[in-house]
Every structure is written in C-alpha cells, then in structure tokens.
Amino acid sequence: MSGTSSHAPHHPPYGPPPLTAPGAAGTPRRPELPPYYEDRSPGRGALPPRAWYAGSDAARLPLHGSWRFRLSVTATAEDDSFARPDFDDSRWQDLWVPGHWVLKGHGTPAYTDTAYPFPVDPPRVPDENPTGDHRHRFDLPEGWGEGPAVLHFGGVESCARVWLNGQELGHFKGSRLPHEFAVGHLLRPRGNVLAVRVHQWSSGSYLEDQDQWWLPGIFRSVSVHRRPEGSVTDHFVHAGFDHTTGLGTLRVDCAPAGRVTVPALGLDLATGEGASVPVLPWTAETPRLYDAELATPGERIPLRIGFRTVRVEDGLLKVNGRRILLRGVNRHEFHPRDGRTVGREVMRRDLLLMKRHNINAVRTSHYPPHPAFLDLCDELGLWVIDECDLETHGFGQQDWRGNPVDDARWEPALLDRARRMVERDKNHPAIVLWSLGNECGTGRGLSAMAAWIRERDPSRPLHYEGDRSCADTDVYSRMYADHAEVARIGRRAEDPLPDPELDARRRRLPFLLCEYAHAMGNGPGGLSEYQRLFETYERCQGGFVWEWIDHGLRQLTPDGEVYHAYGGDFGEELHDGNFVCDGLVFPDRTPSPGLAEFKKVVEPVRIEGDGVAGTVRITNLHDFADLGHLAFRWVYEVAGEVRGTGSLAVPALAPGESAGLRLPAPPAAPGGAEALWTVRAVLAEDTAWAGAGHEVAWGQLPAAARPVRTPPAATAVPRRGEGNVILLGPGTFDATTGTLGYLDGVLLRGPRLEVWRAPTDNDEAAPRQPGRSPAAEWRRLGLHRMRHRVDAVETLADALVVRTRVAAAGAEPALRTVYRWTARRELLRLEVSVEPEGDWPAPLPRLGVRMAVCGSVGHAEWFGGGPGEGYPDTLAAARVGRWSMPVDAMQTPYVRPQENGARPGVRWAQLSRTDGSGIRIEGDPDFYLTARRWPVEELDAARHTTDLSPGELVWLHLDHAQHGIGSQSCGPGVLPRYRLEVAPARFAFTFSSLR
Ligand code: IPT
C-alpha cells in the first residue's frame, strides 16, 4: 500500500492478539517496570491502524448505550477482577457510553490552557488519577455468524485497558485516535462482557496538552465489526486531477486485491490498476464526489471519490493548479452538555453554519475529529488541515526542557499517533494538509513523524506551526502574527533565519496563519485588514480564525437559569478562566457578531462602485467557481424606506474576473434624504448547504451625497421654573447640577459624559500579554470611577451652558466638558465639547454620554448600522438600514459579560413604550447607540450572564467614538487608526419626545 509494496497486506489478518494474559490482579508498582499507563509506549495488543469507512456489507454492532460504571480516585484502588464475566456489578452505576464521566455527575471537568494540571514529571502521573471501570454486556445479532471480528474504539481519554469475556486484549493511549482489537475468537452469540478500565491521566496526557477541558471517558463510539474472510484489511484511494488535461487519475490500493467500479465514469478496475478519465474535479467550492464501490472476496464498501491534486509549486499552495485562499476556522469538537462527544447532526449543523458564513476551510484543532466530520467535509466542500493529536505546550513553561517530542524514548508514541491519523483519514479528498500537531516546540520526534507521513502519503503537503525553521514542513505557518509582519512575509521580506539554506527554503514557501483573529468575547477586530493582506500578497493564502466555538459548559443556577461555565467554575486549583471561550459561535452554537463580521469580510464576491454615478463593480473572488450559481438583486432606499427593487444581470464571471455594470435609473429622487443602493448576491438555486435566495455577499453604495445636517436654530429661552429647575423648550433641568431631568414629561437621568466600558476580553488582553492590557491601564487611570464636578450652570439668552471637569480620584488628567443646551419648539439640542487637560497616557475606552430612561421604554428603532453590533474595527457587517428590536434583543450574551451591543453609524434612534410614546435622538454626526437594562458598572462586575438582572431603567450610551476592539486577548492590539486617542472633541444630539 505504500509506494514500495502496494498490494501487500499492511498487517497480518485478524488473528488472536499478541497478549494472552487473563484478567489478573492489579499490577503492583515495581520501580523498574512502570505500569502501562505510565510507560511511554502507545499501548499493546491493538491492531495496526487502517482506513475508516462508514459503510460496508460486513455487519457492525454499535455498543453505545447504558453501561455499568464505577469511579475510583486512583489507578490502583481496585484490582481488575471486574473484568471477569461473572463479576457482580449490581452496586455500580449506569453510565451512558459514549460520554465523559465528568459531565455525567462523576467528578468534575477542569480547564487549563497550557499548564499541565499535575506536576511535570514525564511520564509519571499523580496518584490522584480518576479511573473509570466500565462493563457492558451484549449479544450478537441474529445471523452474525462465526469468524474474525474487531472491537473498535473511536476515542477514549486518556488510556484504556480492555478485556473481553475475561481475556485481556491490551491497552492503548492516544485519546482522539481509533484503536482496534481482534476479537473474533472470543465472541459468543450471547452474554459477551466487555470490560474497560479508563485512566484520566497517563503518559499520553503529556502529549495531549491542548487548550481545552480535560474530559476523561469513552467519548466516541465503540463497536464490533465483522471481518469476514477476504474482507478489506486496508485500502488507499489515490485520486488526482490534472488541470492541464482535465483528466482524473485513479488507483485504489487494497489488501486483499479486489475490484473498483465507478459507474458514472464507466470504470471497472482491478485494485492497484490505474486509470485516467475525464472528470469534474473536487474542490471546496465544487465538491464533486463520484460514487464507487470497492469489492474484495469478503466485503463490499461504498466509496466516494473526489479527484484533486494538492501541490506546493511556484511558492504557492495550489489545488488543481490554482492558488487557494483559506477562509478558515479552527474547530474543536465541543458540545456544551456532551463535551467532545459530538453527534453527526451537530457536526452537520456546524458545517452548514460555516458554509453559510462563507467559511471554506477547517483546521481540526488539535486532533483528528470524529471521522464522520471528514465525510461531511468531503460532501459539503471544505479544505481541511487534519491535525495530529499532539500538543506538549506545558513544557514551554520550562523552556521546553524534557519535551517528549525531542526525546527518542517517546518516538514510538509519536509515530503511532501520526500513523493512526494518516491511516484512518487518508481517503478524504477534503484533507489537503497533514499537521503534525500543535505547540510542541521542536524536536526529532516531529521530524520522524514528518518522514513517516511523507513516505506513506506523498500526495499531501505537511503543516506544523511550532518550528519556525519549517525544516519538516511544506508551508510556512504562523499564529497571531500582526498585520505588519504578515505584510512583510507577503513580500517574502521577513526576518531571516540564522541558517541561510533554511531561510532561502522558507522564503519560497506559501504562507498561512493557522491561527489568527482570536475570537474571545467581543471581536475579533481587524479582520478586514488581514483579508486585504491575503488579497494583496499571493503568498498569504489566508488563515484560520481562532476558533469556531466557545467551550462553555452548560450549567443551571439554583433558580434553574442557564449559564455557561468556564475555567474555575468547578473549583479547579489551577485554571485559565474564560480563555476557553473564544469562538465565533456561542456554546449553544448561536452565531456571535464575530461570525457575521467574518462572513462579510471573507465574502467571495466583492460588490463596490459609485452609486452616485450609477455604476457597480462586481469581482469574483472564488478560486474555482464562476458566478453562474449566483443571482444579483438590488434595493433602492430613501431614508431607509424601500423605494424600488430589481435584479441585476451579471455575467458568469470566471474566478478573479471583474465587471463594471450600470445600475438602473434611481426609482425615486432622494428629495434631500439619504439614498442608498444595496446590491446582494444570492444563491440562484438550492445547494447542499443553503437554499436558493441565501445571501452570499452584499455591498451598499450611496446613491447621492449625504444631506448636510443643519442644527435647528435656537429659539427657546431658558427660564427658572417652580422648584429648583430650569426650563428650556421640552427640557426640565436641575438648576444646581444642570442635569436634564425630564423631556416633555418623560423622566430621564440626564446625559453626561461617559468614558468607561466594561472591558472586553481583548481590552483585558490577559493572560498571555501581561503589561500590555489596556483595561489594566484604564483602571489604573480610574476611568471606571470618574467624578464630575460642576463648575458653572449658565443661563444665556438662548442656551443653557453647563461647565464641568471630569476626572478620577488620585489622578491629574481631566476632561473639561461643556454641555450646551438649546431648543426650538419640541426639539432639544445638546452640544458636548470635550477638552483634555494634562497628560493622557492611554486611549479612552469610549467617548460619549450616558443617560437612563424609564424601563417601560423598551423598544428600539434606529436608522444606521445593524442589525448586530459593530465597533470601529468590527463594522464591515453593519449594514445601513432601519432596524427595530426590543432593547433586550440588543444584548450580545458573551459568556463572560463585557461591553457589547453598540450599533454603529446611527443617524437617529427612537426608544419607545408599547403605546408608541418615548424619545427620539438624532446624532450630529452619526453615533454609536447602546441600550441595556443594567448600568455599565454591573456589566463590568458580572462574571456570568446570569449575574445580570434587568433593573428599572434602560441605560443608553450615545457614543461619539469607541476604542477599537483588536484581538489582544491573544494577538495584536487595536490598529493605530482605530485607537481612541484623547483629543478635543465636539458632538451633538437632538432629543425630542415621541407621543
Ligand atoms: C494558541 C493555541 O494553539 C490554541 O490552542 C489556543 O490556546 C490559542 O492559542 C489561544 O486561545 S497558542 C499561543 C498563542 C501561544
């Protein structure tokens, strides 16, 4: 099957396992012989790995269901007599398999990012080693027959020892990799007893230090597969595509030999025999699969063949002769209740959501996923980097001393992992790169893995990020490089490596960001600027946002309210807090604003132009597909009201092509209002991942110059009212403080300057970048406790002027803030001017006013950016329009509460009661609108969503500016142009009441 012996069986047929030890007493510790869970070996007794396939005419028996279970606090608390078939497990508990016992009420999950949650003393593990003993009794189905069979484990964390009917089969490590045992000679028609001992900690744990929850258990399926005489031992589908001739090449290697038929291509071949025929190639955009069948004397298995060729040539990563652009995400397997036990429906939902958000690539961070996920990637079309189950990040904390990947004694374990991944997954067209693992430093073990993979599958380039020299890889990959560095790399002008030869080699390699745009909490910011780099420099072939989903575990408060737990919520002595919640979708898989932003930024069609001149330019940014699958529609709006719609004839542009088109004549005159074209590209027909009409891309073009805002001329005169108040037009002010108290009878808590926002995870920038946290600096400056001193309340002929100085205790710098109020009939206008005083060493979080209105004013409507939130560097997806929703729906439920919900570019907003009464606010210039039922201080203090409860007021922030978001929770900070530097500012709002 490898290049040298393509027809030889990869391993001997399914005979009895090499182990014959019967279930015996527990292994006493002998210093010279470590117990199996602490030796460095990958295990003993398992069969060599082979290709996974979902379908076969050979019977399979899934063993999921309710098993018997006993948890011990150490590995040796109980002997192994439980493996005997007649053992009495009536006092044990029931446990659903597959699953993680810590999510089923036995023990607790724990989260660490890079730190090992036990002393670093490889390969030893602590005495406290939760150990789950499992027993399952099963019968074979009618007609199963006799003969060879294998027992298949899809994934067990982290080490398992297995017995069937009292016979020990062996033990294994490698949590997210399959392991099989020959069991045909042990099976009986009825009353089989499978016994599995699972240890949470093993030597394997040192190789599985991924940033995620530690979740022990048999978390993927367990099944028994019949392996009739002459059934497929292993098979390897080699299906390439020659883009110069349009021919697909096919050869299926198989042991034992058999035949392959591909009806749609009229092929009927012997295994090992090659053929070359015209085909439609497989790409992520056009995932053409050919149904085929592989038949050996003992088995028939359906194949789905995708023809494509992956190459690194001319310094680029090419598929079928073309450079591809990766619009990717890192995907962990995660479900808020079930952890890494993820069902096929959830996998499909993830992929549909990805495809619908223009995502075309997945890095399976940081281990091979359930194989069904890869089947779905083949089917729906995604480029996949399949990553080995390997990370030794914790050694980084000790300068990589003792790192297993640079220690020959660990090599068998590393090679075993590489083999189990490649052998299981080698037949997926979706997989275009193999990845050696994540964050392991460097070492000869990685080189050995690379050498083995190259030999076994020369058709796919290799990826690994952790070795800057790229000595073992075919692509230059980095994580979290900032924009400037990516641009240098794009020009092939990066800082040189010390070794000139390696440097020259690396400089010729294509570049990708295997992680960027850390999607923790609000953000990530700066996506558009990355995308521009990917489109400017052909070497920069895109990247993978970190990451797809927040790993928040679903919990209930004592009152039954749902929230999502993160590190520390289970009393872990060592943890990394909410660093585990950094996805584009929330734990329950609802999209976060970051996903909407990503969809817009990576859209495969660009729609731009000059709406005033009536022209639009459409550019096809697909790598393979022409625009024939899309329909284009336009909408013409005046002041946010639809005045005309229609479709636009766009030629079926080839990838990379662009065309200028004329828009129709505007259906209505702007008449002094804002007029806007919106052009949308939608699916013309149903696809496997979305229905006809699904929006893929859009652009908005102003149809006329924005009308200039003229402030209402001040006509009202301020006067004293009864009590300590000043009346001005519809406003009633406190005469001492100058604060607005009523607007036409609507009770308010007057607008006043606000610079604080509840720091986002990116503002906090912890834990990876101590000393670079803007939030820490803001707190040091006291921006969360600013005091307002009123220096003067002046009534002028046509204005009320309130002069204040805003500053924090213990600090010298201040913001001199003047509020100038004027009125004309029912309109009340506020002009705010801000003059900084003293030295301001940091940008401001926000600059605007905050006010409160009665909580009955619970519905918002606005004309401006929406429907979701947007900040200066995250507003590509904000579309100008008229939006309407309850204040409650304006909140973004980040797992750890933080600043959220601002709507950018707001021209005007109305907040109303159910009867339509309320207030209206017009901005001059546009503003950011935020409305919520708790004040910023409560948002700041909350740790979980359920810490927030609605008060009696709706708090409004009308912001002139916001500091950008960036992605500093694990990446670059806010780009200079999005920093909110302290500088003199002026802005205005006009308030009126709604009746
Ligand atoms: C990088 C890890 O590869 C990833 O697993 C995750 O931990 C991410 O960071 C942060 O969420 S590692 C890194 C930036 C040193």
Side-chain angles (χ1 to χ4, degrees), residues 519-536:
M520 185 180 185
N522 187 331
L527 280 172
S528 304
E529 288 75 13
Y530 275 114
Q531 199 63 20
R532 217 156 292 146
L533 294 170
F534 304 157
E535 288 167 10
T536 305

Side-chain angles (χ1 to χ4, degrees), residues 278-332:
V279 297
L280 294 171
W282 188 97
T283 74
E285 291 168 8
T286 55
R288 180 71 166 95
L289 292 174
Y290 288 89
D291 286 323
E293 189 181 73
L294 169 63
T296 62
E299 189 178 16
R300 288 172 180 276
I301 64 179
L303 304 178
R304 293 192 307 173
I305 299 175
F307 294 87
R308 92 276 173 284
T309 292
V310 188
R311 286 247 159 77
V312 172
E313 57 188 12
D314 314 322
L316 299 174
L317 174 65
K318 294 184 182 174
V319 179
N320 302 339
R322 291 200 205 164
R323 168 191 188 255
I324 58 169
L325 183 56
L326 302 164
R327 303 164 164 94
V329 292
N330 280 280
R331 176 184 178 271
H332 265 288

Side-chain angles (χ1 to χ4, degrees), residues 211 366 438-439 479-480 515 518 546 579 582 768 970:
D211 174 12
H366 301 299
N438 183 57
E439 292 283 7
M479 46 173 79
Y480 308 107
E515 293 177 28
H518 197 248
W546 186 266
F579 205 61
D582 48 9
R768 286 243 166 98
C970 186

